[in-house]
Amino acid sequence: MFDALSISPRDVRLARQDLAGGVTAWPIWTHLGLLDIRQRYRRSRLGQFWITLSMALFVGGIGVVNASLFRAAAADYIPYLAASYIVWTLMSGLANDAAQVYVQAAPFLRQAAIPRTVFVLRVLARNAVAFAHNVVILPVVFALFGVWPGATALLALPGLALLAAAAFCAVHAVGVLATRFRDLPQIMQNAVQMAFFLTPVMWRPEQLGSNVASALSFNPFAVYLSLVVEPLLGRAPPASSWAAGVAMLLPLAGVAWLLFARFRARIPYWL
Protein backbone atom coordinates (compact mmCIF):
# COMPACT_ATOMS: atom_id res chain seq x y z
CA MET A 1 0.00 0.00 0.00
CA PHE A 2 2.71 2.44 1.02
CA ASP A 3 4.82 1.48 -2.00
CA ALA A 4 1.87 2.34 -4.25
CA LEU A 5 1.81 5.86 -2.83
CA SER A 6 5.57 6.39 -2.77
CA ILE A 7 6.76 9.32 -4.86
CA SER A 8 10.07 9.27 -6.69
CA PRO A 9 12.17 12.41 -7.27
CA ARG A 10 11.19 12.18 -10.93
CA ASP A 11 7.50 12.22 -9.99
CA VAL A 12 8.06 15.34 -7.89
CA ARG A 13 9.97 17.09 -10.67
CA LEU A 14 7.35 16.34 -13.31
CA ALA A 15 4.50 17.35 -11.01
CA ARG A 16 6.20 20.69 -10.30
CA GLN A 17 6.73 21.26 -14.01
CA ASP A 18 3.08 20.44 -14.64
CA LEU A 19 1.88 22.92 -12.01
CA ALA A 20 4.18 25.67 -13.28
CA GLY A 21 3.32 24.98 -16.92
CA GLY A 22 -0.41 24.94 -16.17
CA VAL A 23 -0.39 28.25 -14.32
CA THR A 24 1.67 30.01 -16.98
CA ALA A 25 -0.61 28.69 -19.73
CA TRP A 26 -3.37 31.02 -18.57
CA PRO A 27 -4.48 32.00 -22.12
CA ILE A 28 -5.42 28.35 -22.72
CA TRP A 29 -7.42 27.67 -19.57
CA THR A 30 -9.15 31.04 -19.56
CA HIS A 31 -10.18 30.53 -23.19
CA LEU A 32 -11.42 26.99 -22.48
CA GLY A 33 -13.37 28.17 -19.44
CA LEU A 34 -15.10 30.93 -21.41
CA LEU A 35 -15.72 28.56 -24.30
CA ASP A 36 -17.46 26.09 -21.96
CA ILE A 37 -19.89 28.79 -20.84
CA ARG A 38 -20.58 29.93 -24.40
CA GLN A 39 -21.13 26.37 -25.61
CA ARG A 40 -23.59 25.69 -22.80
CA TYR A 41 -25.85 28.53 -23.98
CA ARG A 42 -25.15 28.30 -27.68
CA ARG A 43 -27.95 29.65 -29.93
CA SER A 44 -29.83 31.04 -26.95
CA ARG A 45 -30.97 34.64 -27.34
CA LEU A 46 -29.94 35.63 -23.82
CA GLY A 47 -26.85 33.43 -23.95
CA GLN A 48 -24.87 33.20 -20.74
CA PHE A 49 -27.07 35.84 -19.10
CA TRP A 50 -29.50 32.99 -18.45
CA ILE A 51 -27.17 32.24 -15.53
CA THR A 52 -28.01 35.61 -13.96
CA LEU A 53 -31.71 35.44 -14.78
CA SER A 54 -32.10 31.92 -13.39
CA MET A 55 -30.41 32.92 -10.14
CA ALA A 56 -32.54 36.05 -9.80
CA LEU A 57 -35.76 34.07 -10.32
CA PHE A 58 -34.68 31.44 -7.79
CA VAL A 59 -33.72 33.96 -5.12
CA GLY A 60 -36.92 35.95 -5.63
CA GLY A 61 -39.25 32.94 -5.64
CA ILE A 62 -37.67 30.78 -2.94
CA GLY A 63 -36.81 33.81 -0.83
CA VAL A 64 -40.44 34.89 -0.50
CA VAL A 65 -41.66 31.34 0.20
CA ASN A 66 -38.95 30.47 2.76
CA ALA A 67 -39.24 33.80 4.53
CA SER A 68 -42.87 32.95 5.13
CA LEU A 69 -42.10 29.35 6.19
CA PHE A 70 -39.34 30.41 8.59
CA ARG A 71 -41.40 33.39 9.79
CA ALA A 72 -38.49 35.69 9.03
CA ALA A 73 -38.56 39.23 7.70
CA ALA A 74 -38.04 39.23 3.94
CA ALA A 75 -35.66 42.18 4.25
CA ASP A 76 -33.44 40.06 6.49
CA TYR A 77 -33.81 36.63 4.89
CA ILE A 78 -33.66 37.33 1.15
CA PRO A 79 -30.26 39.11 1.20
CA TYR A 80 -28.86 36.19 3.22
CA LEU A 81 -30.34 33.66 0.80
CA ALA A 82 -29.00 35.56 -2.22
CA ALA A 83 -25.45 35.71 -0.85
CA SER A 84 -25.35 32.15 0.49
CA TYR A 85 -26.94 30.50 -2.54
CA ILE A 86 -24.67 32.31 -5.00
CA VAL A 87 -21.59 31.15 -3.08
CA TRP A 88 -23.05 27.67 -2.70
CA THR A 89 -23.61 27.47 -6.47
CA LEU A 90 -19.92 28.22 -6.94
CA MET A 91 -18.83 25.53 -4.47
CA SER A 92 -21.23 22.85 -5.71
CA GLY A 93 -20.27 23.57 -9.33
CA LEU A 94 -16.60 23.12 -8.48
CA ALA A 95 -17.28 19.91 -6.55
CA ASN A 96 -19.34 18.32 -9.31
CA ASP A 97 -17.00 19.43 -12.10
CA ALA A 98 -13.99 18.05 -10.22
CA ALA A 99 -15.16 14.51 -10.87
CA GLN A 100 -15.22 15.13 -14.65
CA VAL A 101 -12.16 17.34 -15.05
CA TYR A 102 -9.90 14.83 -16.84
CA VAL A 103 -12.67 12.76 -18.43
CA GLN A 104 -13.96 15.91 -20.12
CA ALA A 105 -10.42 16.73 -21.26
CA ALA A 106 -9.81 13.25 -22.73
CA PRO A 107 -9.65 14.44 -26.40
CA PHE A 108 -6.85 16.85 -25.48
CA LEU A 109 -4.90 14.54 -23.17
CA ARG A 110 -4.89 11.68 -25.67
CA GLN A 111 -3.40 13.79 -28.44
CA ALA A 112 -1.07 16.34 -26.87
CA ALA A 113 1.31 16.69 -23.92
CA ILE A 114 -0.67 19.43 -22.18
CA PRO A 115 -0.11 20.04 -18.44
CA ARG A 116 -2.90 18.42 -16.45
CA THR A 117 -3.15 21.55 -14.32
CA VAL A 118 -4.50 23.43 -17.36
CA PHE A 119 -7.74 21.47 -17.09
CA VAL A 120 -7.98 21.95 -13.33
CA LEU A 121 -7.71 25.71 -13.86
CA ARG A 122 -10.24 25.42 -16.69
CA VAL A 123 -12.77 24.17 -14.13
CA LEU A 124 -11.96 27.06 -11.80
CA ALA A 125 -12.20 29.58 -14.65
CA ARG A 126 -15.54 28.21 -15.86
CA ASN A 127 -17.09 28.38 -12.41
CA ALA A 128 -15.56 31.80 -11.75
CA VAL A 129 -17.29 33.16 -14.86
CA ALA A 130 -20.64 31.73 -13.71
CA PHE A 131 -20.04 33.21 -10.24
CA ALA A 132 -19.31 36.61 -11.79
CA HIS A 133 -22.64 36.46 -13.63
CA ASN A 134 -24.47 35.61 -10.41
CA VAL A 135 -22.76 38.01 -8.05
CA VAL A 136 -24.08 41.05 -9.94
CA ILE A 137 -27.45 40.25 -8.38
CA LEU A 138 -26.21 41.08 -4.88
CA PRO A 139 -25.96 44.89 -5.25
CA VAL A 140 -29.53 44.93 -6.59
CA VAL A 141 -30.85 42.78 -3.73
CA PHE A 142 -28.92 44.77 -1.13
CA ALA A 143 -30.22 48.05 -2.54
CA LEU A 144 -33.82 46.80 -2.52
CA PHE A 145 -33.63 45.74 1.13
CA GLY A 146 -31.33 48.44 2.47
CA VAL A 147 -28.31 46.24 3.22
CA TRP A 148 -24.97 48.04 3.30
CA PRO A 149 -22.01 45.84 4.34
CA GLY A 150 -19.50 48.69 4.15
CA ALA A 151 -15.76 48.03 4.14
CA THR A 152 -16.34 44.69 5.87
CA ALA A 153 -17.39 43.29 2.48
CA LEU A 154 -13.72 43.42 1.43
CA LEU A 155 -13.05 40.50 3.78
CA ALA A 156 -14.93 38.35 1.26
CA LEU A 157 -11.88 38.63 -1.04
CA PRO A 158 -9.48 36.67 1.21
CA GLY A 159 -12.38 34.29 1.87
CA LEU A 160 -12.74 33.72 -1.86
CA ALA A 161 -8.97 33.29 -2.18
CA LEU A 162 -9.00 30.60 0.51
CA LEU A 163 -11.97 28.93 -1.17
CA ALA A 164 -10.18 29.02 -4.55
CA ALA A 165 -7.05 27.46 -3.02
CA ALA A 166 -9.12 24.68 -1.46
CA ALA A 167 -10.97 24.14 -4.74
CA PHE A 168 -7.68 23.98 -6.68
CA CYS A 169 -6.43 21.21 -4.39
CA ALA A 170 -9.78 19.37 -4.30
CA VAL A 171 -10.17 19.36 -8.08
CA HIS A 172 -6.66 17.93 -8.44
CA ALA A 173 -7.34 15.16 -5.91
CA VAL A 174 -10.89 14.28 -6.93
CA GLY A 175 -10.00 14.49 -10.61
CA VAL A 176 -7.31 11.83 -10.29
CA LEU A 177 -9.51 9.50 -8.23
CA ALA A 178 -12.58 9.97 -10.46
CA THR A 179 -10.55 9.16 -13.57
CA ARG A 180 -9.50 5.85 -12.03
CA PHE A 181 -12.80 5.03 -10.29
CA ARG A 182 -15.72 5.92 -12.56
CA ASP A 183 -18.35 5.53 -9.84
CA LEU A 184 -16.96 8.57 -8.05
CA PRO A 185 -18.84 11.19 -10.14
CA GLN A 186 -22.17 9.69 -9.05
CA ILE A 187 -20.95 9.50 -5.45
CA MET A 188 -19.90 13.15 -5.63
CA GLN A 189 -23.28 14.26 -6.95
CA ASN A 190 -25.08 12.54 -4.09
CA ALA A 191 -22.58 13.82 -1.53
CA VAL A 192 -23.02 17.40 -2.76
CA GLN A 193 -26.81 17.05 -2.59
CA MET A 194 -26.57 15.84 1.00
CA ALA A 195 -24.11 18.61 1.86
CA PHE A 196 -26.62 21.18 0.60
CA PHE A 197 -29.06 20.24 3.34
CA LEU A 198 -26.32 20.12 5.99
CA THR A 199 -24.93 23.54 5.05
CA PRO A 200 -26.57 26.84 6.09
CA VAL A 201 -27.63 27.92 2.62
CA MET A 202 -31.41 28.06 2.97
CA TRP A 203 -31.32 28.40 6.75
CA ARG A 204 -29.21 30.26 9.29
CA PRO A 205 -26.89 28.56 11.82
CA GLU A 206 -28.66 30.39 14.67
CA GLN A 207 -31.80 28.39 13.96
CA LEU A 208 -30.08 25.21 15.19
CA GLY A 209 -29.02 26.47 18.60
CA SER A 210 -25.47 27.05 19.78
CA ASN A 211 -24.69 23.39 20.53
CA VAL A 212 -25.70 22.07 17.13
CA ALA A 213 -24.37 25.09 15.22
CA SER A 214 -20.87 24.43 16.59
CA ALA A 215 -20.84 21.17 14.62
CA LEU A 216 -20.78 23.22 11.41
CA SER A 217 -17.08 23.89 12.03
CA PHE A 218 -16.50 20.31 10.81
CA ASN A 219 -18.39 20.92 7.57
CA PRO A 220 -15.92 22.32 5.01
CA PHE A 221 -18.74 23.67 2.85
CA ALA A 222 -20.14 25.59 5.83
CA VAL A 223 -16.72 26.94 6.81
CA TYR A 224 -15.81 28.33 3.39
CA LEU A 225 -19.37 29.54 2.84
CA SER A 226 -19.23 31.64 6.02
CA LEU A 227 -15.85 33.15 5.09
CA VAL A 228 -17.42 34.68 1.98
CA VAL A 229 -21.06 35.24 2.94
CA GLU A 230 -20.60 36.83 6.34
CA PRO A 231 -18.44 39.73 5.05
CA LEU A 232 -20.91 40.34 2.21
CA LEU A 233 -23.61 40.86 4.84
CA GLY A 234 -21.44 43.23 6.88
CA ARG A 235 -20.25 40.77 9.54
CA ALA A 236 -16.60 39.84 10.02
CA PRO A 237 -16.08 36.06 10.37
CA PRO A 238 -14.57 35.04 13.72
CA ALA A 239 -10.93 34.04 13.91
CA SER A 240 -12.01 30.44 14.50
CA SER A 241 -13.58 30.32 11.03
CA TRP A 242 -10.36 31.51 9.38
CA ALA A 243 -8.37 29.00 11.43
CA ALA A 244 -10.74 26.20 10.41
CA GLY A 245 -10.44 27.19 6.74
CA VAL A 246 -6.64 27.06 6.86
CA ALA A 247 -6.66 23.85 8.92
CA MET A 248 -8.81 22.13 6.29
CA LEU A 249 -6.72 23.45 3.40
CA LEU A 250 -3.36 22.13 4.59
CA PRO A 251 -4.15 18.38 4.69
CA LEU A 252 -6.19 18.74 1.50
CA ALA A 253 -3.16 20.23 -0.24
CA GLY A 254 -0.99 17.38 1.03
CA VAL A 255 -3.37 14.69 -0.23
CA ALA A 256 -3.78 16.47 -3.58
CA TRP A 257 -0.02 16.71 -4.05
CA LEU A 258 0.50 13.05 -3.13
CA LEU A 259 -2.15 11.81 -5.57
CA PHE A 260 -1.20 14.17 -8.38
CA ALA A 261 2.54 13.55 -8.20
CA ARG A 262 2.12 9.78 -7.94
CA PHE A 263 -0.56 9.20 -10.58
CA ARG A 264 -0.28 12.20 -12.92
CA ALA A 265 1.39 10.14 -15.67
CA ARG A 266 -1.31 7.46 -15.55
CA ILE A 267 -4.25 9.77 -16.21
CA PRO A 268 -4.19 9.42 -20.06
CA TYR A 269 -4.11 5.62 -19.73
CA TRP A 270 -7.19 5.64 -17.47
CA LEU A 271 -9.26 7.66 -19.94
Side-chain angles (χ1 to χ4, degrees), residues 146-161:
V147 176
W148 176 246
T152 307
L154 295 176
L155 290 174
L157 296 178
L160 277 172

Side-chain angles (χ1 to χ4, degrees), residues 83 87 90 131 135 138 142 149-164 223-237 242:
V87 177
L90 171 65
F131 177 73
V135 81
L138 288 182
F142 289 175
T152 307
L154 295 176
L155 290 174
L157 296 178
L160 277 172
L162 202 57
L163 170 59
V223 170
Y224 291 112
L225 182 80
S226 68
L227 291 178
V228 182
V229 172
E230 292 299 311
L232 291 176
L233 298 173
R235 298 188 294 267
W242 293 104

Side-chain angles (χ1 to χ4, degrees), residues 25-35 121-122 125:
W26 62 267
I28 299 176
W29 50 263
T30 53
H31 174 74
L32 288 174
L34 290 169
L35 184 62
L121 291 169
R122 171 194 189 178

